[in-house]
Amino acid sequence: MNSRTATPEREPETVTPSASHDAVPTPPSPAKKRAIAKVVVPIVVVIGLIFGIQKYIWLQAHESTDNAAVAADVAQVTPQITGTVTEILIQDNQEVKAGQLLFRLGDAKYQSAVEQAKGNLAAAIADAKAAGIDVAASQGNVTTIQLDARGTMAQADAGLDSARAGIVSAQAGLAGADANTKGAQSDLLSAKADLESARENAIRVNANIAAAKAQLSVAQAGVSNAASQLSSAVTQEALAKKTSVRLSALADQGAVSRQAADQANAAESTAISAVDSARQLVDSARSVVNLRTAELQSANTQTKSTSISIQQARLKIDSAQERSAAINQVANAAKAQVLSAKANLADASGKRTQSQGMEADVQTYQVRVTQKRAAEVQAQAKVDQARAALKSAQIDLDHTKIYAPASGRVSKRLVQIGAVAQPGSALAFLIPSDSIYVLANFKETQMANLKVGQPVEIEVDAFPGRSLKGRIQSTAPATGSTFALLPPDNSTGNFVKVVQRVPVKITFDEPTTAKQLPVGISALVSVAVK
């Protein structure tokens, strides 16, 4: 360690003049001087050896330099926007905390920008909602048209199947009616023949018996035909009832027209009439069978009188005529049913064509929905843009308040109220309290013994007689001259070796004490290397 020793100055001797002559001091004799020198010189040599040995030992265990100074990371308080300084909330050299409000800038323009951005955002949101509603409505129309088209298609297909079945059933009924007509005509001819035969004589009873048997067979066949017609009519009636009930329900829901339901009801009524006619036909055929059986039994058991045979023959004629008339009605009804079924087939075909046209309309509406979806996406993008603009305006408004970036001391204010602050321009300088350190420039010959983490003693003139503690935090990767404005060029021919210095960063063990040190003051540092 360097030590400073103060040597007290000797006061000059005072000579008192006598009355007769001046007093002259007597110098020490050479012998006395030699004696004093023999005593003082050895003492001085011993003291010098003691201090020299101590200094040598100390220098072997330490590396020191006075080319050091207290430094810190000086933070600039700068605005992010342009604005007029309206309020200053700090003083020079004031202690501040991180996040403390330091300056205020005029915010009227930025407040207006925020309000305008909010309005733009609200308008964009409203447009996006309207676009979404439009898309939903259009999609609803498409769905409705699709359902209508599918319902119409299903109704048309059902109508086609029902109409085809109705045509088949009506044609079968018409064929049966034609067969019954022929049978009725045959019965009528047979009854006339019977009448004619009864008038001739009663002797031909045996022949009548044979004829009665033949007529019984024909009558039984007529019963079978009538039963078949009744079964077909019952089936047609059940189908007509189902169709009527289904179309009535669809008409109540609005899926089909009321006309189609009315037509189904009319078809049901026709089917009921056909069933009644078929039942009458069955009854009539059975009565014929019964009659033929009675005739056969009567012919076998007794020979009736000619008058009774004539009466029976006349009854037969009347019955055959009635049956023929009834069969003609059934035939006319069957013809009408055939025509109705064909009309239903044509109507169902028209509905199917209509449903196919509605399917084409669905494709057109779907294209419109796609276009409106694109418009909705664009409207949502405008909402995002408006929201981003609002956020940017809010950030600018927030930047009208300038806060301390770290805790420390304000070293210098550079603006006054009314000044126009520009982005990047310094409003004040701030010394962070946790960034004070010592930057020592050691000779390159001293760097071999320096290691990160070694303890350091620091002396500054601001605290005379007080030693501060610290540690090496890092060493620079280059010498100080490397970063000079005009670094030396050692490749020239007039090279002279100069010992370079390497910056070494030293941190304090007691940051609280370090906060009291002014940045830039000189320091004397000693590193314990052993």
Side-chain angles (χ1 to χ4, degrees):
M1 295 287 290
N2 291 340
S3 61
R4 301 177 178 88
T5 304
T7 304
E9 298 182 356
R10 298 179 58 185
E11 295 182 358
E13 297 181 355
T14 304
V15 179
T16 304
S18 61
S20 59
H21 62 279
D22 295 334
V24 178
T26 303
S29 64
K32 187 177 181 179
K33 291 181 178 180
R34 285 194 296 271
I36 294 172
K38 289 179 180 180
V39 175
V40 173
V41 170
I43 294 173
V44 172
V45 171
V46 171
I47 294 173
L49 287 174
I50 293 173
F51 279 98
I53 292 171
Q54 291 179 348
K55 182 67 173 179
Y56 177 77
I57 294 173
W58 186 87
L59 289 175
Q60 293 301 312
H62 293 78
E63 294 288 352
S64 63
T65 183
D66 58 357
N67 188 351
V70 177
D73 299 329
V74 180
Q76 288 188 3
V77 180
T78 59
Q80 302 295 319
I81 59 172
T82 301
T84 302
V85 179
T86 59
E87 188 175 1
I88 300 175
L89 303 174
I90 54 171
Q91 301 295 329
D92 288 341
N93 306 322
Q94 177 182 338
E95 287 279 351
V96 296
K97 299 293 183 181
Q100 180 178 338
L101 182 60
L102 306 181
F103 299 90
R104 279 196 179 95
L105 304 181
D107 62 353
K109 177 177 67 175
Y110 300 104
Q111 185 67 44
S112 176
V114 168
E115 296 300 328
Q116 182 178 0
K118 288 181 179 179
N120 293 338
L121 177 59
I125 291 175
D127 292 341
K129 288 182 178 180
I133 293 172
D134 195 11
V135 169
S138 299
Q139 186 62 50
N141 291 335
V142 171
T143 303
T144 301
I145 294 174
Q146 285 178 334
L147 293 176
D148 290 343
R150 291 171 184 173
T152 304
M153 180 67 75
Q155 178 186 355
D157 291 339
L160 285 173
D161 295 338
S162 176
R164 292 190 183 101
I167 290 176
V168 172
S169 176
Q171 288 176 346
L174 182 59
D178 291 339
N180 292 333
T181 301
K182 292 179 181 178
Q185 291 175 354
S186 177
D187 290 341
L188 181 59
L189 293 175
S190 177
K192 290 180 179 181
D194 290 342
L195 178 61
E196 195 64 30
S197 177
R199 286 177 178 175
E200 289 178 354
N201 56 48
I203 301 171
R204 301 178 59 182
V205 172
N206 293 330
N208 289 338
I209 293 174
K213 290 181 179 180
Q215 292 174 357
L216 178 61
S217 298
V218 173
Q220 290 175 345
V223 170
S224 297
N225 292 333
S228 176
Q229 292 178 9
L230 177 60
S231 177
S232 175
V234 170
T235 301
Q236 183 63 28
E237 179 188 14
L239 178 61
K241 286 183 178 180
K242 290 182 180 180
T243 303
S244 177
V245 171
R246 182 170 58 82
L247 292 181
S248 297
L250 291 176
D252 293 338
Q253 296 176 1
V256 299
S257 63
R258 177 55 64 181
Q259 180 181 1
D262 294 338
Q263 290 176 353
N265 291 333
E268 180 183 2
S269 299
T270 302
I272 292 173
S273 299
V275 169
D276 294 336
S277 299
R279 285 175 179 168
Q280 292 176 3
L281 183 62
V282 170
D283 294 337
S284 178
R286 287 176 179 173
S287 64
V288 171
V289 170
N290 293 332
L291 181 61
R292 293 293 181 266
T293 302
E295 289 176 354
L296 180 60
Q297 291 176 355
S298 178
N300 289 329
T301 57
Q302 64 180 354
T303 302
K304 294 182 178 181
S305 63
T306 304
S307 59
I308 295 173
S309 298
I310 292 173
Q311 292 178 356
Q312 289 179 349
R314 288 176 178 174
L315 291 174
K316 290 181 188 180
I317 291 172
D318 294 338
S319 177
Q321 288 176 345
E322 292 177 358
R323 181 185 174 195
S324 178
I327 290 174
N328 288 332
Q329 292 180 355
V330 172
N332 293 331
K335 291 178 181 179
Q337 187 175 2
V338 170
L339 294 176
S340 177
K342 290 181 178 180
N344 292 337
L345 180 63
D347 183 63
S349 298
K351 289 182 178 180
R352 183 174 180 82
T353 303
Q354 180 183 1
S355 65
Q356 291 174 347
M358 294 175 68
E359 288 289 345
D361 293 339
V362 168
Q363 299 298 326
T364 302
Y365 278 101
Q366 193 63 49
V367 172
R368 295 179 183 177
V369 170
T370 302
Q371 294 174 348
K372 291 181 179 180
R373 287 187 188 279
E376 182 185 12
V377 172
Q378 292 178 353
Q380 188 60 46
K382 291 181 179 179
V383 170
D384 295 338
Q385 291 177 351
R387 187 173 284 111
L390 175 59
K391 184 177 181 180
S392 177
Q394 186 63 50
I395 290 173
D396 288 342
L397 179 62
D398 294 340
H399 283 163
T400 59
K401 297 178 181 179
I402 303 173
Y403 301 91
S407 298
R409 294 174 60 187
V410 177
S411 63
K412 188 177 182 181
R413 291 187 315 172
L414 302 178
V415 294
Q416 299 297 329
I417 293 178
V420 177
Q422 299 291 337
S425 62
L427 303 182
F429 290 103
L430 177 67
I431 307 298
S433 57
D434 58 352
S435 68
I436 298 176
Y437 58 92
V438 173
L439 189 63
N441 298 298
F442 285 90
K443 296 179 181 179
E444 57 183 312
T445 55
Q446 297 174 293
M447 295 301 297
N449 296 325
L450 299 182
K451 300 291 186 297
V452 174
Q454 290 176 334
V456 181
E457 292 185 1
I458 306 167
E459 294 181 5
V460 294
D461 293 339
F463 297 97
R466 182 176 177 182
S467 178
L468 303 177
K469 304 297 181 181
R471 290 186 179 275
I472 295 178
Q473 192 264 345
S474 62
T475 59
T479 63
S481 62
T482 302
F483 304 104
L485 181 61
L486 297 174
D489 187 358
N490 293 334
S491 63
T492 58
N494 56 353
F495 167 72
V496 177
K497 182 178 180 181
V498 177
V499 177
Q500 301 294 315
R501 290 184 178 270
V502 179
V504 177
K505 185 176 181 180
I506 300 170
T507 57
F508 290 92
D509 291 344
E510 299 180 358
T512 303
T513 304
K515 291 196 302 182
Q516 304 174 7
L517 299 177
V519 177
I521 63 174
S522 299
L524 174 64
V525 297
S526 299
V527 182
V529 296
K530 291 183 182 180

